[in-house]
Structures are given as C-alpha cells and as structure tokens.
Amino acid sequence: MLFKDGSLLGFLKNIVEDPFCKDVVVRSEELESSKLKSTCCLTREVHPSNGLFNTSTIFNSYVEMPLRPQLVKGNMQLFSVEQHRSQALEAHAASFATFKVPGNDQPCTLIGFATKSFNAGQIVSKLHVIELGSNPGRLTFYLMMVGLYLEEVPMDSICGLNGWKLSKLECGMMVYIQLGSRATSGSLGLKIRKPGFTKKQADLFFPPDFADDFPVAMQISHKYGLIYVITKLGLLFVYDLESASAVYRNRISPDPIFLTAEATSIGGFYAINRRGQVLLATVNEAAIVPFVSGQLNNLELAVNLAKRGNLPGAENLVVQRFQELFAQTKYKEAAELAAESPQGILRTPDTVAKFQSVPMQSGQTPPLLQYFGTLLTRGKLNAFESLELSRLVVNQNKKNLLENWLAEDKLECSEELGDLVKTVDTDLALKIYIKARATPKVVAAFAERREFDKILIYSKQVGYTPDYLFLLQTILRSDPQGAVNFALMMSQMEGGCPIDFNTITDLFLQRNLIREATAFLLDVLKPNLPEHGFLQTKVLEINLVTYPNVADAILANGMFSHYDRPRIAQLCEKAGLYVRALQHYTELPDIKRVIVNTHAIEPQALVEFFGTLSREWALECMKDLLLVNLRGNLQIIVQNILSNWGVDQCVKLFEQFKSYEGLYFFLGSYLSSSEDPDIHFKYIEAAAKTGQIKEVERVTRESNFYDAEKTKNFLMEAKLPDARPLINVCDRFGFVPDLTHYLYTNNMLRYIEGYVQKVNPSNAPLVVGQLLDDECPEDFIKGLILSVRSLLPVEPLVDECEKRNRLRLLTQFLEHLVSEGSQDVHVHNALGKIIIDSNNNPEHFLTTNPYYDSRVVGKYCEKRDPTLAVVAYRRGQCDEELINVTNKNSLFKLQARYVVERMDSDLWEKVLDPDNDYRRQLIDQVVSTALPESKSPEQVSAAVKAFMTADLPHELIELLEKIVLQNSAFSGNFNLQNLLILTAIKADPSRVMDYINRLDNFDGPAVGEVAVEAQLFEEAFAIFKKFNLNVQAVNVLLDNIQSIERAVEFAFRVEEDAVWSQVAKAQLREGLVSDAIESFIRADDATQFLDVIRAAEDANVYHDLVRIHSHANVANLQNVGDRLYDEALYEAAKIIFAFISNWAKLACTLVKLRQFQGAVDAARKANSSKTWKEVCFACVDAEEFRLAQICGLNIIIQVDDLEEVSDYYQNRGCFNELISLMESGLGLERAHMGIFTELGVLYARYRPEKLMEHIKLFSTRLNIPKLIRACDEQQHWKELTYLYIQYDEFDNAATTIMNHSPDAWDHMQFKDVAVKVANVELYYKAVHFYLQEHPDLINDLLNVLALRVDHTRVVDIMRKAGHLHLVKPYMVAVQSNNVSAVNEALNGIYVEEEDYDRLRESIDMHDNFDQIGLAQKIEKHELLEMRRVAAYIYKKAGRWKQSIALSKKDNLYKDAMETASQSGDRELAEELLVYFIEKGKKECFASCLFVCYDLIRPDIALELAWINNMVDFALPYLLQFIREYAGKVDELVKDKLEALNEVKAKEKEEKDVIAQQNMYAQLLPLALPAPPMPGMGGAGMAGGFVPPPMGSMGMPPMPPFGMPPMGTY
C-alpha cells in the first residue's frame, strides 16, 4: 500500500480517533526475510537560503548484503529536482526537517539519516544530521560589481556553479569571474556567514539480542525537535535534533514494524506492525524534562526541550539560569531566556521591575527596551507588558510604533491600555477598547465621535444596554439631526423602542426642534396604527400652526387615518388650506362657508370634491357659487355638472335657456371621451353659433363620431364665411361632388382651388367631373388641372373625362407631363387614346412609346382598328388578347408571325390545341408564310418542337418538307433532316427511302438503328451502306433479311475482315462448316477456333480443320494449360504451369487444389496484385487467416485494392481478422493513408471504444472526410465532432454538437468552435440551442460571439422566446455599440424593473433608439421618476412643450424651468411664467425669472408682476437686470472714453512730430545770408524782399521756410 503526502496520516488518524473503530487492526502478510523487504519514497519540499536545492527527494531501498545474510544493507539516493542531480548515500532510514539556528533568522533545512553497516569487521550504527544546501562553518566570499551580485559562494565550491568559471589567485587574494567571453574583476570582501547548523552524528546502540536489527523508518517531531528512529524489530530510538543527543530507547512492538507516519498535531508518530496493529507513540510532556535533567543529567538539553516545546519541569532551572545571567549583566541573554521561558514563567511584573531597576548606561540600549524588543521578536506581549511598553512609547511620542504593533497583534489590549492611548489618539484608543471588550468605554467613545448608529450595532453585538434617554439628551444638545437618526434607530430595535415616542417628541419640542420632531414622527408613524392617533394629531397640529405646507404634504400622502379630523379641519381652514378643510368637514354649513373661496382652491380639486358630495348638497353648493360669482364660476359648475348629472339633462338645461356658450363649454369638456354622434353634432352646432369657427374646423377634421350627412347639411345651411369645416366633412366622408357643387354655385372658386391644390389633390378628378357636369368654363378647369400637375392622379381623371367624352380636354396637361419626363403609364395610356382618336400617326406612337399599358390601349383600339390593337398587344406580349383579336378578325397571318416570333411553348400549346377552332388556318399560315419568312434557327426549332409536342406528324412532315426539301436557309440543317426522316419512319414509312436518297446530312447510324426497330430493313441497309457502315449493313442482311447469299456477295464487294467474320459466324450457325472455315480464313479470325473444331468434329471435316489449325497456330502449352484448367484437370494444369513458369496461373491452380501454402509461395513469385487477391480471398473462404494475412499485407499497400479486400472480409463477417490485418499494416514501411483510414472506419463499425484513441494518435495520417462519413453513419457524434474540428469544418462541428448535444456537447469546446464557423446563421442557431438546453450559459456564449453576431437579431430571438431578461448581461456588455434594438430592449427592461437610474444612464450614453416611443410609453407610468425620465427624453428630442407639460403635470417645476431655459424659446419661457402666476406659485415665478433670465423680456416680466401683484418676487430679477444693463452702459462709456483718449493721444503725438520738424526750421535765419545774385542790389534784398508765392507756378502756396500755418486754438 502506497500513500502520498500524509494520506497515511489521515488514514491512521481516522482509525485511532473514530470511537467505532477502536478494535480495528490492519492485517498484512509477513514478507520473507531473504527477499527485498520494502521500498518507500519519502519526499519533502525544501527551501534553502542559497537556492542550491529547491526540491529534494530520497529514494530508499533495502538490499541483502552478500557477505552477511543476517545484515540488511541500506542505500539512499538524494536527488535535486531543480538541478537534476543525485547523490548516493548508504543509509536505512531518513527524514527532512527545518530548524532555526540561534543567531540566524532563516530556518535551515536538515536531513537526518540512520545507517548500519559492516566496516573493518565491525558493525557500525550511526545517526547523522546535516544541513542541506550549504557547507556549514566555512568562510564565504562575495563579489560586488556593477550589475552583478553573487552572494555567499564558498571558495572550494564556486567553480562550475551555475555556469560560472572561477580562477583563484593565491597572491593578493584577487578573484576573477568569467562569464562567457567577458572577464570582470572586482574588489573582494570578506564576510562571516550567519551561523549555520553544524553537522551532528551519534551512535545507535543495538542490544546483543538485536544484532541483526536495522532501522526501517525515521520520523522527526517538529513540535519537540526530536528524532524518532524505528527499527524492524520494534526498537524506538529518540534523539535530540539540535545536538543529536540520545534521549530514550525502548522496544514498542514485539512484532516487526514495516510502515510509519508522522503525527504532526501531537508531535509523535503512527506505526503499523506485521500483525496489523496501528501504534501511536508520542512524548509524555510532564515527564520528559525531569527525565532528561534527572536521569540523563543533561540540564542544557532539558532546558532546550522545555523552551522548544513549552514543556513543564524546567522551571527551577530556567529561573536559576535567569538569575545567573542577570547577575552577570548579560541582559540580552536574560531577556531571550525570559522570552523563551517555558509556559511564560518569567514573563511577570517582577521581571519587568527587575529590568526597570537596572541603571541605564550611556551609549547602550536600556535593558528594559532590550527585554521588550526580544519579546516582540518572539511573539505577543501580555497585558502588563503591553501597558508598560506603551507607557514608554507614549512618553516618547512614538504613536506609530503602537499602531504597527497593534496591526501585527503584538500587544494584548486592555481597558488600562486604552485609557493610556486615549491621551494621544482617540481612534487608536477606540480600537483598543473594542479589542479589550470595554463596553462602557466603547459606547462613550462612539458618542464622543457622533457615531450614534454604531452604538446600537455594537451594543447589540456585545449584549450591552446603555442609558438611552441620557444618550438622546446628550446628542440633542450637540447634534439635533443625529438625535433624529438615533431616535429612529431606537424605534427599529427588535424589542421595541426603549423610550416612549411621546417622550422623545417632547424632548424635541422642548428645544423648539419642530422639523426634527416631525421627521421622527413621520417615520415611526408609518404603520398608521389606531393607538398612534394622538401622535398623528400632534404632528399635524404643530405643523399646521408653524409650517402649513408641510402639513399639506402630510395630508396629501394620506399616511394617517386615526387623528382628530374636526380639530384638523378647523386648523386647515385657519391656515388657508381650504381643500384640506373641505375634505375634513362633514357638515353642510361648514362646507358652504369654505367652498366659496374659489380664488384659493384649485379648480381640479374643487371638481374632485364635488364628486364626493351627494346630488342635493352639490346643488346647494352650486347655488352659493353662482351667487358669489356667476360668470367666474361657470366653468367650475360645468365640470361639476359633468361629473354628477347625466349628459342629456345637461344638454336639455342649456338648450332650454339657449345658452350655447354653456353648451359649448360643457360639451367641450365631455367631447374627447364621448362617441355619441349627437353630442358631437351639437358641439359643432354650438361652436358655429358662438362664432368658434376654428373649433368647428378642428372638430370636423379630428372627430370620427359625428353624423356626416347631418353635419354637411347644417354647414351648407349655415353658410359660414369660412368653408374649411364643410371641406373637412365632405373630404373625409366622400361628399366631394356635393362640396364642389356648393362651392361653385356660391362662387367660392378660391376654396375649390385651395382644396385641390393643398387639401387633397387625389380628389381632383371628382372635382373636375362635377365641374364638367356644372358646365364650368374649360379654361378654369384646365387652369385648375395645370395648377396641380404631377400631384394629380391621372387614371381617375382620365376615367372622369372619358365617361363624359371630354378626353381631349386633357391634351395640354398630358403633353406637359410628358415634357417633364413623366413615365406614368396612365399618362401615356391617355395620350395614346387621344392620338388614336385623332388618327395622328397612331402606329408610330404604339411602336415607339415604351410606357403605355398594351392591354389598356389595345382594348381601346379593338373596336376602332384591330390592326392597331395587334400592334399594341404585340409590343406588350399580350398573348391571350392578341390571339382573341386575330381570331375574331381573321388576322391569321399576323397571328402566325407573332406565334413564331414569340417562341413560347405555352403559346404554341394553346394555339395548336385540338379545341382551337382556328388551328388549321393558323397552321396553314405558319407553313406557308411565317416559317419560310423566318431566318432564326431558334424560331424554327421552337415551331418544330411545338408540332412534335402537339402530336401533328403529318403537319410536321409538311412543315419540314417546306423547310428542308425546298431551297431555304435551313435545307442542310442536320437536326431537321434527322427529324424529317424519323417523323416519316413513324408517320409515313413510304416516304423514307425517298428521303434517304435525297438527303445527305443526317445521323446515319442512329437513323439506321431506328429504321431497324421500325422493321424497315431495306431502308436500314440502304442507310448503313450509304454511310459505309458495312458491319451494321451485313448484320441487317444476316439477322433481319436473313440472306447469307446477299451477305457473301456484300462481303466480296467490301472485302473487310469484320464483314467476313460476321458472315463466317452466320455460316457456322447454319452448319456450313467448310464455307465458315473459308470465311474465317478470309477474315484472319482465330477467336472461334474451339467452336470451329467442335463443329468440324461433328461434321467430320478434318481436312478443313487442318487448314484452320495451321493458320491459327494455337497448339501451345499455354493454351493447353488453360484448356486443362477450364476442364477442371487441375493436377495436369499444375504441372504445365509450373513447367512454363506461369506463377499466376499456378497459384490459381493450387488454390483450386486447396494447397494454400504453395499458392502463397507461387503468388509471392508472381508478385501480382490480382494473384495476391485471388489467393487471399481463397484463404479467407477456407478460414486460413494466417496465410490470408500474409497475402493481405501485400495487397493493402496498394491503395486501389485496399477497399476490395476490406469489403471481402466484411461480407464474410471476418471483422476481427480484418482489424488484425489492418493493425499489422500500420507498421509497414509502405503504409499509406488508406490503411489508417480504413482501420478507423472498422473501429467505427465494430470497435467504437478504440476509435477516439486511434483518431487522436493518427489524425495527420487519416483521410478525414471518409472517416467523417463512417462516424456519421455509425452515429459516433463525439468522434465526428473531433474530426470536423481537425478538418477545419467548424460549421459541421457546431451543427453536430447542437443536433446531438447529449453525446457531443462540451461548453468550452463549443465556444472554441462557434467563433470559427463561417455560416453566420449558425450563430443564431447556437443561440436557440443554448436557450433551449443550456440557458444558464447563454451569456457566456454570447460574449464570445459578441463581435460576430447581429445584436439586433439576437435581441429579436430572445424577445420572441420571451426570455429577454436572460441576456441582460450580454446586452449591457454590447450596448457600447449603440445598436437600436439593444438599447430599446435594455430600456424596456429598466422600465419593467423601475430602475430609473440605469434608464437615465442608458439614455444619456446611447441615443440610438425610438426616443419618442419610449417617452410616450413611460409618460403615464405610476412612478414619478419614470415620468421625469419621459420629460427628460422629450427635452433631449427637442420637444420642449411636451417636456414642460409633463413636468408641470407632476409639479416638477425645476425641470420645467430648466427645459424652458435650454429650449432657447422665449415664448415657452414666458408661457411658463404665466402658468406659475395662474397657479399662484410665486416662488416658482421668481425662480423662473432667474433660470430663464436670458429669454424673458424685462417688460413682460414687470408687466406680469405688476398685474398679478408679484412685484416683490420680480424685484430681484429686475435688480439683476438693471445691474447688468448698468454694467453694459458703464462698459460702453468706458470704451468711448478710451477711444477719445486714444484720439487725443494720437493728435498730440502728431503735433509733437511737427514741432520737432519746426525746431530745425527755426534755426535757418541765424545762418549767414547768401551772396547777392548778379544784377541785384544788396539794398533791395535788405529791404525785405519777399519772393512771389508758389501759387503763381501752379502749386499751392507754402508758408516761408516750409513751415505749416499755425492754427488758432
């Protein structure tokens, strides 16, 4: 029995621990000592620090020692899985262990093994404990270089490690490491390795009686650090793991032990002996330490065991050792000892005080901190230690250390520790309180943090009951809203609220917290219980007095029904809530007093209230309303009457007082819900008499319930100035002629034009017809028609005009349409009729116009000109009409030409029908005119075929003679000549010979055979002779005419061997042997020599036989052998075939003799496929399957013969032998694909269990299509699917899986196949398949196919199946594609689930859906948020009015204002303002002014506010508007000033430039004067001569020295 990884441990535990299995033992047979005792495999995963071994495995076996039979030799193999290296050691038992050496944080991996061997004549037994993966106790070197770090590599083992090459130089201690071709040197540093485990060994002492005993198992207790060595004869050795010191030895079983397993939980081991007993051995924790310290006198080992296993018995030793270390000032060692003290005997306040008492040395860590540090590294501190350490940390303000230690669970939490930490961190203190379960402190902390909800949760968890009243009062002082939440949480406690609701309410009211008290009561009073009536009244009272709108909302919700209704009614009336007061009052005087305040009551609410009153009370209230304000309350009364009285009574009442206005108002409110024709008519009448022409027009246009005739007559009598209502009635109900007559007689021609042009152009023909009847001028009618043009329906217009014989009236209109490119068939029909009537070259129109209807125009022409009708019918291929008109008018020539040209078999069948009275006339015209005129072979062929189909042979002959025998284009046609002769053979044989002689281009062989079948032998002989078919000709003479003489004569004439051969055979049959021999000789034919010999022997004409023998030379051994074989003389034939080495015939002969072995040998020499098959099949029949297999292996290597062999075997039921043959053929050198495929087919038929394995092994060598057919026939669906996948036929694979899912379906495989199919339809078939059989996985499939399927079609499939919700995850995943169907489906699901958040998100992110349809669907939804979404959709779609109307209906005024603002429509915004004014929503009015600030005109806002006394609410808007405009004016003024400043600055700059120029000009007079010119006196110049102005030279005058004139300022 083999066990892995501790399964044996579980097995043994079950046996030991199960109370029902205490007496169960395991039996096993004892193995003989001279044989191999046992083999075990022990595996343990190792993680050494240096990575030398990652996984090690020990293979241990026991083998007899040849020199000492009584001593068993043990061999161990240590194997490194990572490095794939092994090391052989001599050992009997071994085990792995991990051990942490003091001073080294990383655990060492140890292996212990026990040996017993013969050395130098002595038996040596040893226990070894060594460390794996390192060489302990050695100095190691490390090399630091750029990009490379090699750590702790021993100098004597570094060479060759992991591919490194190391050369070591003694001089200078320089190490060179070469990696590849690059050598790098670096500085060498010396490093002392952390302490490792030192190799240990100890002797195993076997008593003399157990000299031949040896270890069979080793177990290491990781709990106690002990090694258990168990021997074959039941000895137990116990050693210390760390020191390899012997601890204990005893015999635990009198019977040999053969198997052990570690008992991890108790630190022992399980063992099974030969008797089947299960043994459990472990350490006696109370006795082992005293035993080691007392009897073994090993104090150090005793202390180590106690510390390692936390064992009792070493307390005095530990305390004594601690005191010694403390006295020696070895505080670190003392701290470690205290931390590791067994059972924590030294971890006391005294120890802490002792460390505290030690004075601190400068530059050294205080002993107390060393102690605490040691404890922290070892584990968790107790409560006292945690408190003392935290005090030190808090004093040093190192809170982060506390947080880390608490996170690592190093400290034991207590209330005192929390109090200490609270001084520095309340959050951390709360965590400590919770861990320490200091409940009062936790509650207080939550209260201080205002986390009141956590108080109740925590109290419930720990079962604590706090003072709720005190807590509530405390919370009220600091956080009223928190107090509300806390009170609500108390009200929801399982045992009921610990404080009375009224008390809680009073606490709120005492502090004037009305809103908080209301919120609390509204929540706790939701159940609406009778005992809460007082509280219901209370909450309504306080709100009616302080916040009436809140009380109104509470009453509107209808959540209370047990309060004091009269008291609340009075308070409602005082608060101005008249509707609520009316709902609560029960006395008529009270109701009458309140109801007259209609200015403050919504009309709808008033109407609803009237609906609750009795008839008498309602009348009394209406009287008071009429007394107060008759006209103002008329609308309310009308609505009230509507809801309480009958309609007939109301109508009579208003008619009695002739109050058409009241009747108009009343019926207007009732009209939309009524289908009574009389009500609709009376409403039309009232509206007409009150001047509401637009309403009359609307009702006549939209209503479907009024009496059309009655309404028409009333409107005609009323003679309204606007004829549109009458137009609506007459247009909708078919009174167009009456309407036209009325409008024409009343001279309302513009309404006629408007009706035809704008209302209903399709009724223009009726209008034109009536105008023609009314003798309206043609000019008006033509203008009316031309004004409509292409919108006018032509066909009814033509019918109306044609009925009145006024068709020419439309000539201009039709020509205009044609000139515009109209292709309407009715247009061209009408135009054609006009042309025919006017005889304006109608044939040209009928043949060239492609648009008219041939049947219509042809019918029109029949009575006028039948030839024109034929032209029209021919153009439209109107067969039946053309045949009828030509028959009726005897136009058979035209009919014949048409039938021939049509080449239609159905038409030919119809005209050649025997029931056709005109068939003869048609045939005459076809024969005489139509076909002779035709030049088309197809037409001739169709005609001939039609005659043949109609079974008219004589007519066909007549036709063909006309075509073939006369000089026509088809005289030499091959098919027609054949047809003529064949028809004559069947119908008139007397003409056949004449046709044969006159015709040359026909199929002689085929016609000759037909003539023979028709017994026209002379004609057949003539045909064969004409075409030099001499053999057929002589056969006719011999077989049919039976004239040997004519045949001999014919043979002499043609002198052909084949002819002579036929003659000879006939002579031989007639007994003319000599003549036959002569003929055979002439034919040089020796094939019939046996028959000739037999006939010669019978006739006794041997001399002739000699002639034929000498001529044929057939007397040879081969023929003799064949003759012997045929005569079944197999022994003789065997000798001859063997003599002439004809191995193939020899093999066949041996088969006949049933000498199969010889037949196989002969077949091997013949090496012919045919021979192999004959021998093989014979062996199969004889059940010599071994020989058959030898033959078969030589056959199946030929692809062509493989299937024949397989069929032969299978037909005889030799299935196993055939499979064996094919399996043997797989190993042949010439094995081909056919062998592998055929074997797969055989497996599919006879051994399906081997099929899948065969396919997987040889999938590349199979003819997959053939094997696919076999698997399909045998219904191996799983294998068939696999083959389809291998052959890349993914479509077929998917189809097979779906059609045969019980056998072939696998979800992962199907997903892989589905994404590769080419046929898109399979995607949707897969969806149907998963929907029916695996709906839970359909989303997984659709996610795979998401990129390939049409999401719209998938949604349609799921919708039709009614499982759209099933694929919601898929639709969410693909909604990013923005597909309309997906969006609409998901939106529909969200509507059904009332998930308005997701619906709004879907609408925002994906806009491809029917937005209006969705909005219409949910605009009447019972959920407010859904209706809000509908308004949002309307807003997105730009339907601002509908969105605003819906928002107003649900009182969502903010949404309405935002919609109006986004619309940018000033009219909508101002209408919304008016609505708020009408509803008295002053605050909404003010808000709308700001939301729609950019749209509302200030004059409109101010006007509305002033008229409705809302100036105060409009004042902020006006202030803002004035401020904005003032700012704009300021900006304009500022811009103007800046512009002026810029102009001034520019002018100043120009002046500065000019002044700069003048500065240089002013310096010129200071220069010396120029010398005088000759002839001029200096005095003259000095006298102030001024030169003449420049203007005299045609230039403008310039000032002196070029300076500009100085202007005055």
Side-chain angles (χ1 to χ4, degrees), residues 12-22 265 270:
L12 297 177
K13 281 185 179 180
N14 291 336
I15 293 178
V16 174
E17 296 174 1
D18 193 341
F20 298 101
C21 302
K22 291 182 178 179
S265 61
Y270 296 98

Side-chain angles (χ1 to χ4, degrees), residues 1044-1312:
I1044 295 179
E1045 294 79 7
R1046 291 180 64 184
V1048 172
E1049 180 185 354
F1050 180 72
F1052 276 111
R1053 184 183 305 163
V1054 298
E1055 284 295 338
E1056 289 183 4
D1057 293 344
V1059 174
W1060 278 115
S1061 179
Q1062 295 298 325
V1063 172
K1065 293 176 183 178
Q1067 291 171 338
L1068 191 62
R1069 286 195 300 270
E1070 294 296 328
L1072 304 174
V1073 179
S1074 298
D1075 295 340
I1077 290 173
E1078 181 66 25
S1079 299
F1080 275 123
I1081 293 173
R1082 287 181 177 277
D1084 195 17
D1085 183 6
T1087 57
Q1088 305 291 326
F1089 74 94
L1090 293 178
D1091 295 334
V1092 172
I1093 293 172
R1094 191 177 296 109
E1097 292 176 350
D1098 294 339
N1100 196 18
V1101 286
Y1102 295 103
H1103 59 282
D1104 294 325
L1105 188 59
V1106 172
R1107 293 172 56 201
I1108 193 170
H1109 275 187
S1110 61
H1111 178 76
N1113 193 21
V1114 295
N1116 52 62
L1117 290 177
Q1118 178 63 47
N1119 291 339
V1120 172
D1122 293 339
R1123 182 70 177 271
L1124 292 173
Y1125 183 85
D1126 295 338
E1127 297 294 334
L1129 301 174
Y1130 300 121
E1131 288 292 344
K1134 168 185 170 183
I1135 297 173
I1136 292 177
F1137 289 141
F1139 178 78
I1140 63 176
S1141 299
N1142 189 342
W1143 308 113
K1145 295 295 290 185
L1146 178 60
C1148 297
T1149 304
L1150 292 174
V1151 165
K1152 295 295 184 179
L1153 294 173
R1154 301 187 67 79
Q1155 297 176 10
F1156 298 109
Q1157 183 63 52
V1160 172
D1161 296 338
R1164 184 177 291 111
K1165 294 177 181 179
N1167 196 20
S1168 167
S1169 177
K1170 179 180 179 182
T1171 305
W1172 280 120
K1173 284 194 288 185
E1174 291 180 0
V1175 176
C1176 177
F1177 295 162
C1179 292
V1180 171
D1181 293 338
E1183 297 184 357
E1184 293 287 343
F1185 295 113
R1186 182 184 64 83
L1187 298 175
Q1189 182 169 339
I1190 295 173
C1191 299
L1193 291 176
N1194 289 278
I1195 301 172
I1196 62 176
I1197 59 176
Q1198 303 294 332
V1199 179
D1200 298 334
D1201 299 328
L1202 173 64
E1203 188 172 354
E1204 184 179 356
V1205 173
S1206 177
D1207 293 341
Y1208 198 87
Y1209 270 85
Q1210 293 182 68
N1211 292 338
R1212 284 150 183 78
C1214 303
F1215 309 125
N1216 295 331
E1217 291 77 9
L1218 178 58
I1219 292 174
S1220 176
L1221 170 62
M1222 294 299 173
E1223 290 175 345
S1224 300
L1226 297 181
L1228 295 176
E1229 182 179 355
R1230 295 175 61 188
H1232 51 80
M1233 180 181 288
I1235 298 176
F1236 292 91
T1237 305
E1238 189 65 27
L1239 181 56
V1241 173
L1242 295 173
Y1243 281 155
R1245 292 175 178 172
Y1246 311 116
R1247 291 188 185 174
E1249 67 275 3
K1250 289 188 175 183
L1251 178 58
M1252 181 58 80
E1253 180 184 2
H1254 179 73
I1255 293 172
K1256 291 182 178 180
L1257 286 176
F1258 305 109
S1259 60
T1260 59
R1261 304 195 64 180
L1262 294 172
N1263 183 351
I1264 293 180
K1266 181 176 180 180
L1267 194 53
I1268 283 175
R1269 292 193 295 273
C1271 291
D1272 192 10
E1273 292 173 0
Q1274 302 301 320
Q1275 299 183 358
H1276 299 311
W1277 310 121
K1278 187 174 183 180
E1279 292 80 359
L1280 179 61
T1281 302
Y1282 182 83
L1283 287 171
Y1284 277 136
I1285 295 173
Q1286 292 298 315
Y1287 199 54
D1288 293 341
E1289 288 285 346
F1290 300 108
D1291 291 20
N1292 292 331
T1295 304
T1296 303
I1297 292 174
M1298 290 186 286
N1299 292 340
H1300 309 285
S1301 57
D1303 298 326
W1305 178 79
D1306 177 77
H1307 180 57
M1308 298 305 295
Q1309 183 189 55
F1310 187 79
K1311 287 200 302 181
D1312 294 339

Side-chain angles (χ1 to χ4, degrees), residues 594-783:
V594 175
I595 203 169
V596 296
N597 298 293
T598 54
H599 64 281
I601 302 176
E602 292 285 344
Q604 183 63 32
L606 193 60
V607 172
E608 293 176 357
F609 175 71
F610 267 105
T612 62
L613 297 178
S614 64
R615 182 185 181 88
E616 294 77 10
W617 283 27
L619 289 175
E620 292 293 331
C621 291
M622 280 191 293
K623 290 178 182 179
D624 285 0
L625 289 175
L626 294 175
L627 289 174
V628 174
N629 188 354
L630 175 62
R631 190 169 187 83
N633 294 330
L634 178 62
Q635 186 73 16
I636 299 174
I637 294 174
V638 169
Q639 293 183 2
N640 178 49
I641 293 174
L642 171 65
S643 59
N644 292 277
W645 288 10
V647 179
D648 295 336
Q649 295 177 350
C650 297
V651 173
K652 290 179 181 179
L653 177 64
F654 287 119
E655 287 180 344
Q656 181 180 358
F657 293 95
K658 296 184 179 180
S659 176
Y660 291 105
E661 183 178 0
L663 189 63
Y664 170 72
F665 284 134
F666 166 68
L667 293 178
S669 61
Y670 189 77
L671 189 70
S672 61
S673 60
S674 174
E675 298 182 1
D676 188 351
D678 192 44
I679 290 176
H680 283 258
F681 172 74
K682 289 183 180 297
Y683 179 75
I684 294 171
E685 182 182 17
K689 291 186 177 182
T690 55
Q692 302 293 334
I693 304 300
K694 290 185 178 180
E695 187 65 14
V696 176
E697 190 274 335
R698 183 190 68 80
V699 175
T700 55
R701 173 168 38 84
E702 296 178 359
S703 175
N704 296 319
F705 306 109
Y706 56 83
D707 188 339
E709 183 72 25
K710 187 176 180 181
T711 304
K712 180 198 71 171
N713 295 333
F714 165 74
L715 292 174
M716 287 183 176
E717 293 173 1
K719 293 187 177 181
L720 300 177
D722 190 346
R724 285 181 296 174
L726 180 61
I727 290 174
N728 291 337
V729 175
C730 295
D731 178 66
R732 292 181 61 194
F733 296 96
F735 302 132
V736 176
D738 296 340
L739 171 66
T740 306
H741 179 73
Y742 171 81
L743 295 177
Y744 180 72
T745 55
N746 288 278
N747 198 24
M748 303 176 78
L749 300 181
R750 64 185 184 89
Y751 281 101
I752 297 177
E753 295 175 348
Y755 173 72
V756 172
Q757 295 172 4
K758 299 179 180 179
V759 178
N760 195 346
S762 62
N763 281 339
L766 299 176
V767 174
V768 171
Q770 185 61 41
L771 290 175
L772 290 174
D773 292 340
D774 291 339
E775 298 182 357
C776 178
E778 288 189 1
D779 294 339
F780 177 77
I781 297 175
K782 290 180 180 180

Side-chain angles (χ1 to χ4, degrees), residues 887 892 910-922:
N887 288 340
F892 298 111
K910 181 177 182 180
V911 298
L912 295 179
D913 186 69
D915 297 334
N916 184 9
D917 297 335
Y918 305 99
R919 183 174 73 165
R920 184 66 254 175
Q921 294 90 323
L922 173 66

